[in-house]
């Protein structure tokens, strides 16, 4: 489709637009369900059984169970929705965000205290 | 006549709320964040508004993918504090200002902004963290609040210029309300942060501080900055900053009045994943 | 390239749907109404669109007072037929056009219309009666539909001019979609009717016919008519006619192209409480 | 409040604006509930008991039970919402609309077939 997507080229970044939203619809709606305490209990008691109640793809379910947030995002998840999984697990936003960077929790925390990731980051630094 | 006396700008990082709710505000990490709000808490006691028009974004809380309003105004008498997945924050419920809110909706729609009117909506950290930052932990919030939620979750989000013009329309609306009310308008969210992907943790102090400079001195020019620059320079969630332009557009100077006074400015990195920015601008009486 | 080939305008009186669903179309009362659509059913077979962008209003069905979007676009893959209190109409479910709808939403929001995006919405008689009038009783609807709901329930509703400009923005959006699609845009609701109070039953043939004249010849002038005139002259629910201006604004002549051809025009009183108006305009190929 | 209400002066007509909406919030939300078949059954079985589940005013409840649509409208009801009551009763929109005019059902129907109520109607004709 001819939509302008100038944001497509930013490294390590997925913009949640209509295409992503369509792809991730049920994944994100599943996340919303975790805003109710009784649903969090059901999910924690049997993740697979709870996920199977949603018309999500197998890939999406696997990504949720693995807590692979990068994969969730590539499958249409949005971080504000996915945060409900972290909340259910008792994880902070910092732990969640850090988990996507390949850094250890401590290293990520130290990076933030040291001023955060530079805006000049290209994603190629790690490979040096 | 209702009048806009001041605008307040602040990040609304959920971890800040958690730090207050869990009694961690004296820890050195958090002390640095909260020190930036000591002045503000004194200031707001001395300049207590009747109503705060609070611009924020819903973080997939009241609005799922079933319905995504670009601009939503809360016209209800009260708003419950949302359970975002860890139980509702232990803060007072939010009292609305239904008559003023309905008046603003009426006026702003007639100025060609296509608002969605909302009468039932739980409010999330985007709204309650700024209240906590500015007011501490009172038994009830000391003023009424009109929640105004902006879509910054699914693209396309409204442009900076659309937000700025909306602020101007809100000013007209408020100033045509014939009750004598002291109204503040708050813009929340930002500053630079990215919560997703391998680039998570991005912070851009230079860009943020330039944003603060321009917000004061050249808001209309700043409103021309496009989305791609926000995402590139301030991170994917830095786009929340467009909401500050709504509050700024409602200040007197934009309508030909005097420049506002900068009462307070604060910038700190980090709170959790985010740069914290904060600004108080007063209209001259 | 997608292109808008024609626009269709029609009342969407619920009793018309009931007459079809209950097999009353041959009764003399209803025969007079349906006779006005004989041509249209032939015409649409010969000019079958791929997608209809269907402008209508929700009648307190999908949207309660909890949330009132000024403009809502349906981007889902399908939409269920609503139970409005007497069970769902026995008509096919409505198949959406998610990619085109999302493209239009994207483009129109970037043109400063503050849409609400809706992914789950039952559609009421406002949408299904026009389909029934134009297509009869097929086992499935012969094209995809993008539902576009306009608030005409709670004041202030969008002005005629806002609607007309929105139509222009929708045209730009559709014409920038790179799939080769035949798209029609329908404006529904009206004509004169009032469903409430001692003044119920109001009909204004002269005003309605003048509206039809001006819609063809002078749509921009017509867009300047204010709400009060609609209510005074066409009854409290006659305000639904502002939606016709969205469809009209999307026609080629408004963007500098040739005048459309009037393929069909029909006017009849009454269907239930309402005057029935109907118009088909084709863009020149 | 200083809102322009130029429509306030039209005879026999109530415009549903924010003030009406606030007044009629629960009345209208009650009407919405009748879109579910099971709620229609409950309402029909015991109107009073069903209405008592809603934080409506006593006046609103009385007006609903009396099917006094004019009164419902003056108490904040909107006709698109109130239509759900008529649908529950098996009434057509024409019967509902007619009931607000003081005319008999037949007389209203005949008026419509004859071309409807003239736009010049002022509400004073009846009193002649
Ligand atoms: Fe935020
Ligand atoms: Fe209608």
């Amino acid at each position: 489709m001819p939509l302008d997507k100038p944001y497509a080229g930013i490294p390590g970044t997925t913009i949640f637009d209509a295409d992503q939203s369509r792809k991730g619809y049920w994944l994100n709606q599943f996340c919303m369900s975790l805003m109710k305490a009784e649903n969090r209990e059901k999910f924690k008691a049997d993740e697979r059984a709870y996920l199977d109640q949603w018309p999500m793809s197998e890939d999406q379910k696997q990504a949720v169970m693995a807590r692979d947030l990068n994969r969730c995002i590539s499958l249409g998840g949005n971080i504000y929705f996915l945060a409900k999984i972290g909340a259910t697990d008792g994880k902070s936003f910092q732990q969640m965000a850090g988990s996507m960077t390949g850094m250890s929790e401590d290293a990520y925390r130290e990076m933030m205290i040291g001023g955060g990731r530079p805006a000049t980051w290209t994603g190629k630094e790690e490979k040096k | 006549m209702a009048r806009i006396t001041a605008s307040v700008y602040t990040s609304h990082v959920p971890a800040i709320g958690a730090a207050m709710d869990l009694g961690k505000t004296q820890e050195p990490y958090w002390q640095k964040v909260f020190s930036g709000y000591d002045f503000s808490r004194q200031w707001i006691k001395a300049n207590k508004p009747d109503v705060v028009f609070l611009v924020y974004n819903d973080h997939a809380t009241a609005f799922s993918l079933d319905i995504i309003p670009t601009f939503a105004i809360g016209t209800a008498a009260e708003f419950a504090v949302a359970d975002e997945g860890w139980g509702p924050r232990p803060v007072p419920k939010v009292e609305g200002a239904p008559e003023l809110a309905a008046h603003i909706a009426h006026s702003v729609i007639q100025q060609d902004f296509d608002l969605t009117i909302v009468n039932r909506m739980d409010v999330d950290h985007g709204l309650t963290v700024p209240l906590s930052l500015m007011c501490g932990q009172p038994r009830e919030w000391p003023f009424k609040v009109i929640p105004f939620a902006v879509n910054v979750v699914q693209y396309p989000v409204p442009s900076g210029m659309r937000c700025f013009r909306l602020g101007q329309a809100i000013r007209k609306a408020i100033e045509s309300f014939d009750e004598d009310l002291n109204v503040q308008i708050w813009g929340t969210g930002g500053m630079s942060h990215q919560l997703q992907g391998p680039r998570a943790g991005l912070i851009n102090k230079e860009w943020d501080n330039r944003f603060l400079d321009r917000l004061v001195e050249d808001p209309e020019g700043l409103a021309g900055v496009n989305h791609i620059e926000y995402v590139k320079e301030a991170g994917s969630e830095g786009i929340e900053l467009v909401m500050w332009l709504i509050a700024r557009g409602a200040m007197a100077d934009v309508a030909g009045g005097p420049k506002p006074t900068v009462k307070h400015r604060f910038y700190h990195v980090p709170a959790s994943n985010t740069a914290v920015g904060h600004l108080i601008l007063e209209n001259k009486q």
Side-chain angles (χ1 to χ4, degrees), chain B residues 103-206:
Chain B
H103 170 84
I104 294 170
H106 193 117
S107 167
V108 166
I109 290 171
Q110 290 191 324
Q111 293 176 69
D112 285 348
F113 290 84
D114 315 310
L115 306 188
T116 290
I117 293 171
V118 182
N119 281 307
R120 202 172 57 177
M121 175 164 71
D122 288 358
V123 289
D124 74 9
H125 71 268
L127 185 132
T128 62
V129 165
L131 290 174
S132 296
L133 276 168
M134 293 298 292
C135 305
Q137 297 173 297
R139 237 168 327 172
E140 41 187 63
W141 302 119
F143 40 74
K144 295 175 180 181
V145 176
I146 298 173
F148 191 89
V150 178
N151 169 44
V152 295
V153 173
Q154 181 174 317
Y155 274 67
V157 311
S159 70
M161 193 56 81
R162 185 71 179 159
C163 289
F164 188 67
R165 301 273 177 248
L166 170 60
Q168 296 176 266
I170 290 167
R171 176 181 182 78
K172 274 193 203 159
I174 290 173
E175 299 220 318
S176 67
F177 191 70
D178 65 5
E179 208 178 315
D180 187 29
L181 294 174
N182 175 342
V183 180
Q184 292 181 3
I185 181 164
W186 294 10
T188 76
M191 307 224 40
S192 60
H193 64 308
Q194 171 146 346
L195 302 177
Q196 52 132 332
R199 195 176 180 240
L202 179 131
I203 299 287
N204 193 339
K205 285 185 203 184
E206 293 68 29

Side-chain angles (χ1 to χ4, degrees), chain A residues 80, chain B residues 12 57 59 125-126 189-190 193 240:
Chain A
Y80 291 134
Chain B
H12 60 210
N57 65 296
H59 301 77
H125 71 268
H193 64 308
E240 291 185 347

